[in-house]
Amino acid sequence: DGGITQSPKYLFRKEGQNVTLSCEQNLNHDAMYWYRQDPGQGLRLIYYSQIVNDFQKGDIAEGYSVSREKKESFPLTVTSAQKNPTAFYLCASSPTVSTRAREQYFGPGTRLTVT
Amino acid sequence: GQQVMQIPQYQHVQEGEDFTTYCNSSTTLSNIQWYKQRPGGHPVFLIQLVKSGEVKKQKRLTFQFGEAKKNSSLHITATQTTDVGTYFCAGKKSSNTGKLIFGQGTTLQVKP
């Protein structure tokens, strides 16, 4: 059963704690992405990776960090420096990054609540 | 920076009525994609438009890409309750290496 998995579905943390959200894909996709979704604001790109051991900042990277040590995995760490971390986080992947973009496949998302 | 604006933000229709959402970019796009997100779910790819003036149909859904490749629309004919959800357009700049810029989305409610 191929796809993208994100765990957990719901996550609760205290303010000041770092938290890592997992994202795993078995689609053999080169590119992976992290988005944040807030009500009424659509999807905003946090980080993306086109190849293993390489990643680029998106539009709202401050307070977040990522790693891409394996093709299948692209974990996102929400650090204590992120001022408003409560949100719905979506991971996505696509077959390749090229001039003509390919569709992105999304995971089920992790809803993070920080109090 | 580049923006992709989508209107309206919300739309309530009676089942059987038509629905249209519009997407406008401040710059020329290489292509545009449309996604649907059901309540409580994640975005699912619907279609990609690449050519200037392109029109594609999927059953009751009609997608258009403007001649200048700066705007797009999604039209649903005779809505059904299964059409409920948020529809996002996502554009890619010609010079980008893969990033998609998402519109804010249009949330469709259908009254039975």
Side-chain angles (χ1 to χ4, degrees):
Chain A
D1 187 22
I4 302 177
T5 56
Q6 291 184 245
S7 60
K9 189 170 183 179
Y10 298 96
L11 191 55
F12 298 88
R13 280 294 183 269
K14 295 289 187 184
E15 197 173 310
Q17 293 179 334
N18 290 356
V19 58
T20 298
L21 312 183
S22 76
C23 177
E24 303 280 332
Q25 55 99 359
N26 60 5
L27 300 168
N28 199 33
H29 286 173
D30 291 317
M32 297 187 74
Y33 312 81
W34 272 106
Y35 294 92
R36 169 182 173 138
Q37 186 173 31
D38 296 283
Q41 294 195 44
L43 281 69
R44 292 184 290 169
L45 184 64
I46 304 173
Y47 269 97
Y48 66 106
S49 169
Q50 303 175 44
I51 196 169
V52 174
N53 291 322
D54 187 46
F55 49 82
Q56 287 79 40
K57 291 182 179 180
D59 301 315
I60 56 165
E62 186 176 350
Y64 300 97
S65 65
V66 293
S67 63
R68 186 87 186 276
E69 297 176 2
K70 298 187 298 183
K71 188 175 185 178
E72 310 81 45
S73 179
F74 191 41
L76 173 75
T77 297
V78 184
T79 75
S80 57
Q82 168 50 231
K83 295 178 182 177
N84 187 17
T86 295
F88 187 46
Y89 290 89
L90 286 158
C91 179
S93 70
S94 64
T96 185
V97 175
S98 64
T99 303
R100 184 167 288 188
R102 304 288 294 274
E103 67 264 30
Q104 294 186 9
Y105 296 77
F106 285 83
T110 292
R111 196 166 296 277
L112 173 65
T113 302
V114 177
T115 57
Chain B
Q2 179 191 8
Q3 288 190 331
V4 174
M5 305 302 293
Q6 195 173 349
I7 57 169
Q9 188 173 359
Y10 299 98
Q11 185 81 55
H12 296 249
V13 300
Q14 197 71 39
E15 188 173 20
E17 291 181 340
D18 292 356
F19 159 77
T20 304
T21 173
Y22 300 91
C23 195
N24 291 287
S25 170
S26 55
T27 59
T28 301
L29 300 171
S30 170
N31 58 56
I32 196 155
Q33 299 177 4
W34 285 90
Y35 293 78
K36 177 182 179 180
Q37 184 175 22
R38 294 183 185 275
H42 58 274
V44 174
F45 173 79
L46 294 176
I47 208 161
Q48 176 172 281
L49 303 171
V50 178
K51 300 176 183 176
S52 169
E54 189 170 13
V55 178
K56 286 189 176 180
K57 292 189 176 183
Q58 289 180 349
K59 298 182 180 178
R60 294 178 295 103
L61 278 62
T62 301
F63 303 84
Q64 293 188 326
F65 200 11
E67 293 289 344
K69 301 185 75 173
K70 286 187 175 182
N71 56 73
S72 181
S73 65
L74 158 59
H75 179 82
I76 302 178
T77 303
T79 55
Q80 300 175 359
T81 54
T82 53
D83 296 325
V84 164
T86 301
Y87 293 85
F88 293 97
C89 61
K92 181 184 175 299
K93 274 179 67 174
S94 300
S95 58
N96 263 7
T97 55
K99 285 171 55 178
L100 287 174
I101 309 297
F102 279 81
Q104 301 94 325
T106 296
T107 298
L108 173 64
Q109 297 277 11
V110 180
K111 302 174 197 173

